[in-house]
Structures are given as structure tokens and as C-alpha cells.
Amino acid sequence: MFRRMLAESIGTFWLVFGGCGSAVLAAAFPQLGIGFAGVALAFGLTVLTMAYAVGHISGGHFNPAVTLGQWAGGLFPAKDIAPYMGAQVFGGMVAGGVLFVIASGAPGFDPSASGFAANGYGSHSPGGYSLAAAVAIELVLTAFFVVIINGVVSRPALTAVAPIAIGLALTLIHLISIPVTNTSVNPARSTGVAVFQGGWAIDQLWVFWLVPLIGGVIGGLVSRALRPQPEN
């Protein structure tokens, strides 16, 4: 279990540091900014690379909603949910702290003004989208993300390419939803930067825990219904 928790912490660290780091440090860099598409690709690449690096140890969840979705899908034991989620949140918060130290090295850095890649709705949504819009998109995208993950990891023939499918799915999810919520679908990712933003992001964090977890369960149940049943 220690090796599995360490793998989940490291994987989530890389996801938050790479994905949110691209948003904080590179998305709008003068003249060379990578923009929404670059940030979306960065998130996808973090999952793809870590799934290959440590996925064989822990399963490569890096996300409490995925852990809960795998349990709902019959692919993960209930007794391991809390340790996995704790490891994921820890890794995300360490990444947020390291990113905060780096970002603080730039003149005029202000996490409360910049948002520090935090997730939000209303006036804190990149596009000003409402709470209802945020709930809808986070629910749908988290559910589909879990359906994709459970679908590929439950088929041994796809083991070698599963990280590619999952990484591309997360890239697509970000391409769709960055303007709406800055894209969560992952409570550990949201927590990792919200605690360092320190203001409105903490107040709105409940949405980016509750909704992705519900979406993960829905996705897990759907994937379970889709899975072929063994013949008697």
C-alpha cells in the first residue's frame, strides 16, 4: 500500500504541477503564450506520462473522482478509497506549494488577482459561466472520463495503449471546459491550487469536490452496465 500511495502522490503532483503550472507560467506568457490549447495538452500529457511511469504500481488514478468511479464500476476495493484519496490530495497540495514558490519569483505576482489556475464559476469562471453551467459540465465530463478510463483498463488487450486514450480524453475535456470552470474533473487538482489562491477558490471548492465525485460514481455505474457479463 505504501508504494501505491507514493505512486498516486507522485502522479497527482505531476498532474497539478504540469497542468496548472502550464496555466500559471506559460498560458499567457508575452508573445509566446501557449493558450487554452497548450494548457489542455499539458494536462493530457501529465496523465499519459505518469500512467506509463507508475500506473503499473497503483493503477494510475491521480484523481479522487476516478478512484470512486473505479469502485462504483466494480474495479476497485472500498477499503482502499480513503488512502488513495488522501495520497492524491497530498500530492496535489505539494505541487501547488512548489508552483506557488516558483510563481512568486515573478514581479507583481498576486494569486488572488490571477486566480492561480483555480477552478471557479460566476465571476470567477474564465467565461463568466453560472453555477448551473459549471455543475452540468463538470458532471458530464467527469462521468465520461470515468467511462473511458474504466472501459480501457478493464480490457487487458488495451493495457499498452490505455494511457494514450486516457491522456487524449483529458486533453479533450480541457479543450471543452477551460472557458467554463478552468476545468476540474479532479478534486485533488482543484484543492492543490485553491489553498494557495486563498480566497474565492476556497469558497467555491465544494463544487469541485461534490460534482466530480457524483460524476465519477455515475460514470462508474455506466461503465459497469456496459461491461460484458460472463456467460454461465
Side-chain angles (χ1 to χ4, degrees), residues 5-19:
M5 292 176 65
L6 181 61
E8 284 297 303
S9 291
I10 291 171
T12 311
F13 175 97
W14 189 237
L15 185 152
V16 174
F17 185 75

Side-chain angles (χ1 to χ4, degrees), residues 155-179:
R155 298 167 64 188
L158 297 180
T159 299
V161 297
I164 298 174
I166 295 168
L168 289 175
L170 190 59
T171 299
L172 175 60
I173 284 168
H174 279 77
L175 288 173
I176 296 168
S177 60
I178 287 177

Side-chain angles (χ1 to χ4, degrees), residues 158-223:
L158 297 180
T159 299
V161 297
I164 298 174
I166 295 168
L168 289 175
L170 190 59
T171 299
L172 175 60
I173 284 168
H174 279 77
L175 288 173
I176 296 168
S177 60
I178 287 177
V180 183
T181 61
N182 228 10
T183 310
S184 172
V185 303
N186 184 340
R189 169 262 188 268
S190 298
T191 304
V193 291
V195 295
F196 293 96
Q197 195 281 330
W200 58 263
I202 295 292
D203 296 334
Q204 296 191 353
L205 184 59
W206 66 273
V207 173
F208 303 105
W209 267 92
L210 180 62
V211 178
L213 291 182
I214 294 173
V217 171
I218 293 171
L221 294 174
V222 170
S223 68

Side-chain angles (χ1 to χ4, degrees), residues 24-156:
V24 171
L25 304 176
F29 191 78
Q31 300 179 355
L32 298 175
I34 62 175
F36 282 175
V39 173
L41 182 60
F43 271 100
L45 289 174
T46 63
V47 170
L48 187 155
T49 51
M50 272 295 133
Y52 275 123
V54 301
H56 63 289
I57 300 172
S58 66
H61 297 187
F62 317 141
N63 181 342
V66 171
T67 296
L68 205 59
Q70 293 227 322
W71 165 77
L75 301 173
F76 192 75
K79 65 181 179 62
D80 292 345
I81 292 174
Y84 264 54
M85 287 187 177
Q88 292 155 359
V89 172
F90 175 76
M93 291 181 66
V94 173
V98 174
L99 181 57
F100 183 85
V101 170
I102 296 169
S104 298
F109 170 69
D110 182 0
S112 61
S114 67
F116 199 55
N119 301 114
Y121 57 85
S123 61
H124 303 297
S125 157
Y129 286 84
S130 67
L131 172 59
V135 168
I137 201 162
E138 290 288 332
L139 189 72
V140 170
L141 292 180
T142 308
F144 270 89
F145 191 38
V146 170
V147 168
I148 293 165
I149 292 171
N150 287 2
V152 296
V153 302
S154 63
R155 298 167 64 188

